[in-house]
């Protein structure tokens, strides 16, 4: 009971943490897969490394853990529909009608995002229900536009405004 209380409290507190929204893609046996993911962060610049936290029950988990590649696509404010599409709404043929290319690994690089990091998996650490994949960045690029944000359970346009002094 206490554990359930703590879990609920944990979720409530996490909702207060604003994040960007990404779609993490992978490719296994020629089949692309993607999932909406906010648990993404930079790890190291030398060499360039990032991490993503993936629920091991997600279908994407099998793709990333076996192919050992993933690409973090950072969504633009106008791409809410993609965030919803890749959060389980569409189970099969996820990429139908989605414009994408590829970079170093062959994992989908979605068009219209504000940037991407194309990675090969260097480490996988199990942590509770999730796996932390640490990726070595093989290629990356940034583009213009405002990021899509997630806060208090909803999507937001995080307009980059300085708070000044
Ligand atoms: C805004 C948002 C952020 C999410 N962040 C994560 C995350 O960081 N890690 C994760 O495992 N799932 C996250 N999810 C849930 C996955 O997108 C969802 O479980 C997905 O449908 C798994 O897809 P799959 O089973 O088709 O691979 C997030 C969902 C949303 C809407």
């Amino acid at each position: 009971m206490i554990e359930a209380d703590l879990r609920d409290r944990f979720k409530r507190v996490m909702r207060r943490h604003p994040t960007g929204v990404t779609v993490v893609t992978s490719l296994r046996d020629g089949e692309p897969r993607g999932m909406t993911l906010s648990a993404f962060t930079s790890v190291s610049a030398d060499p360039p490394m990032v991490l993503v936290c993936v629920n091991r029950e997600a279908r994407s988990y099998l793709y990333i853990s076996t192919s050992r590649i993933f690409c973090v696509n950072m969504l633009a404010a106008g791409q809410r529909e993609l965030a919803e599409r890749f959060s389980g709404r569409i189970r099969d043929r996820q990429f139908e009608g989605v414009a994408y290319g590829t970079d170093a690994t062959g994992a989908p690089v979605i068009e219209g995002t504000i940037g991407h990091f194309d990675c090969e998996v260097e480490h996988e650490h199990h942590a509770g229900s999730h796996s932390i994949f640490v990726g070595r960045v093989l290629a990356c690029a940034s583009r213009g536009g405002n990021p899509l944000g997630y806060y208090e359970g909803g999507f937001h346009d995080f307009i980059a405004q300085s708070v000044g002094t």
Side-chain angles (χ1 to χ4, degrees):
M1 194 55 187
I2 290 168
E3 267 186 32
D5 280 354
L6 185 58
R7 203 161 47 233
D8 288 349
R9 189 175 294 235
F10 172 84
K11 287 181 180 170
R12 266 205 311 278
V13 178
M14 281 308 296
R15 285 164 62 91
R16 303 290 298 155
H17 179 57
T19 66
V21 184
T22 74
V23 172
V24 171
T25 59
S26 193
L27 182 78
R28 190 181 66 164
D29 299 330
E31 193 194 338
R33 186 87 208 161
M35 72 181 285
T36 300
L37 181 143
S38 56
F40 153 69
T41 193
S42 157
V43 173
S44 156
D46 187 18
M49 296 168 102
V50 298
L51 70 76
V52 292
C53 301
V54 176
N55 192 323
R56 285 193 303 282
E57 292 198 344
R59 277 187 290 177
S60 284
Y61 172 74
L62 288 177
Y63 285 68
I64 299 170
S65 61
T66 57
S67 70
R68 314 291 292 171
I69 58 168
F70 65 87
C71 182
V72 181
N73 294 269
M74 296 152 58
L75 297 186
Q79 294 182 308
R80 175 194 177 140
E81 205 185 285
L82 286 178
E84 287 166 348
R85 164 183 279 258
F86 286 100
S87 61
R89 179 168 290 187
I90 295 184
R91 300 186 70 80
D92 301 307
R93 292 205 291 262
Q94 280 186 310
F95 285 86
E96 204 166 73
V98 176
Y100 70 91
T102 56
D103 199 346
T105 68
V109 176
I110 297 172
E111 282 185 14
T113 66
I114 60 170
H116 73 271
F117 293 96
D118 201 12
C119 307
E120 70 184 10
V121 173
E122 187 131 316
H123 306 286
E124 177 184 351
H125 305 284
H126 285 205
S129 53
H130 283 51
S131 270
I132 303 166
F133 287 108
V134 178
R136 169 80 71 119
V137 177
L138 302 185
C140 58
S142 63
R143 291 167 286 276
N146 286 330
L148 180 65
Y150 197 68
Y151 177 63
E152 289 281 23
F155 294 101
H156 298 269
D157 181 348
F158 281 177
I159 297 170
Q161 251 175 24
S162 166
V163 291
T165 52

